[in-house]
């Protein structure tokens, strides 16, 4: 194996210094309602790995101790974690910003149809994931029907106040 450490020691690249931790991104699991070809964690409907309540409570303890300003939730589909709403409620109760990295189609899944309203009521920032503006491209990456399900979810979010000043 080539030792690259000496190449890193002598450089004119500015030193990297850690600053105050402001944003904590947490992956709540690999379960997802989609199986996207571009997914870097290979999430999907058959994945079962989920963050448990004990670990979520450790996350909450950590953000309290370190005055984290933003909790950024991702996954798979983070909303599929059975403790998602609890985590959001506890984090929002501190006044911190919570970001949900949402694939949009999850908002129409059976059993969690109230998720969009929950997110709006909690004041959660949604980073919506739609890989392209083209129906053909989206469906090639995410599956048949995903484009229009995503558009329906966006319209629902707009009706709840998202995308408005």
């Amino acid at each position: 194996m080539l030792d690259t450490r000496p190449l890193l020691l002598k450089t004119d690249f500015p030193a990297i210094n850690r600053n105050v931790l402001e944003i904590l991104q947490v992956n709540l699991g690999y379960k997802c309602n989609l199986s996207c070809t571009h997914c870097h964690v290979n999430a999907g409907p058959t994945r079962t790995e989920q963050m448990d309540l004990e670990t979520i409570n450790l996350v909450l303890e950590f953000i309290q101790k370190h005055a984290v300003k933003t909790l950024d939730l991702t996954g798979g589909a983070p909303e599929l974690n059975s403790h998602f709403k609890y985590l959001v409620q506890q984090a929002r109760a501190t006044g911190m910003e919570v970001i949900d990295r949402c694939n949009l189609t999850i908002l129409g899944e059976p059993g969690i149809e109230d998720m969009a309203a929950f997110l709006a009521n909690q004041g959660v920032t949604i980073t919506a994931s739609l890989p392209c503006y083209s129906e053909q491209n989206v469906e090639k990456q995410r599956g048949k029907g995903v484009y229009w399900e995503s558009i329906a979810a966006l319209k629902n979010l707009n009706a709840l106040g998202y995308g408005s000043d």
Side-chain angles (χ1 to χ4, degrees):
M1 178 189 264
L2 176 63
D3 181 13
T4 58
R5 187 170 186 276
L7 299 173
L8 298 172
L9 295 176
K10 295 180 182 178
T11 180
D12 59 355
F13 192 83
I16 297 174
N17 297 305
R18 182 173 67 163
N19 208 338
V20 177
L21 176 66
E22 293 183 3
I23 302 171
L24 180 65
Q25 187 174 70
V26 178
N27 185 319
L28 294 180
Y30 297 127
K31 187 174 181 79
C32 188
N33 60 317
L34 302 175
S35 291
C36 301
T37 58
H38 62 277
C39 182
H40 69 285
V41 296
N42 196 30
T46 61
R47 298 293 297 267
T48 58
E49 303 93 337
Q50 295 282 311
M51 186 177 286
D52 62 16
L53 183 58
E54 181 181 355
T55 307
I56 283 175
N57 282 324
L58 288 173
V59 169
L60 290 167
E61 186 179 315
F62 180 88
I63 62 178
Q64 290 282 346
K65 285 183 181 175
H66 295 87
V68 173
K69 293 180 181 173
T70 303
L71 180 61
D72 184 351
L73 302 175
T74 188
E79 305 87 352
L80 289 177
N81 183 294
S82 58
H83 309 294
F84 177 80
K85 287 183 177 180
Y86 166 75
L87 175 58
V88 168
Q89 289 168 328
Q90 295 300 308
R92 288 295 296 138
T94 70
M96 75 169 35
E97 178 184 19
V98 174
I99 299 172
D100 176 28
R101 294 190 179 266
C102 180
N103 73 28
L104 296 172
T105 64
I106 194 66
L107 301 176
E109 284 291 312
I112 58 170
E113 299 92 348
D114 68 331
M115 187 60 72
F118 169 79
L119 295 168
N121 289 336
Q122 289 292 315
V124 172
T125 301
I126 297 176
T127 299
S129 173
L130 189 63
C132 186
Y133 60 87
S134 156
E135 178 180 0
Q136 181 181 10
N137 188 305
V138 170
E139 299 210 348
K140 185 176 179 182
Q141 291 183 53
R142 291 199 164 169
K144 188 173 171 79
V146 170
Y147 179 82
W148 288 109
E149 289 175 32
S150 299
I151 297 301
L154 285 169
K155 287 180 177 181
N156 184 30
L157 290 170
N158 288 158
L160 291 166
Y162 285 96
S164 302
D165 288 338

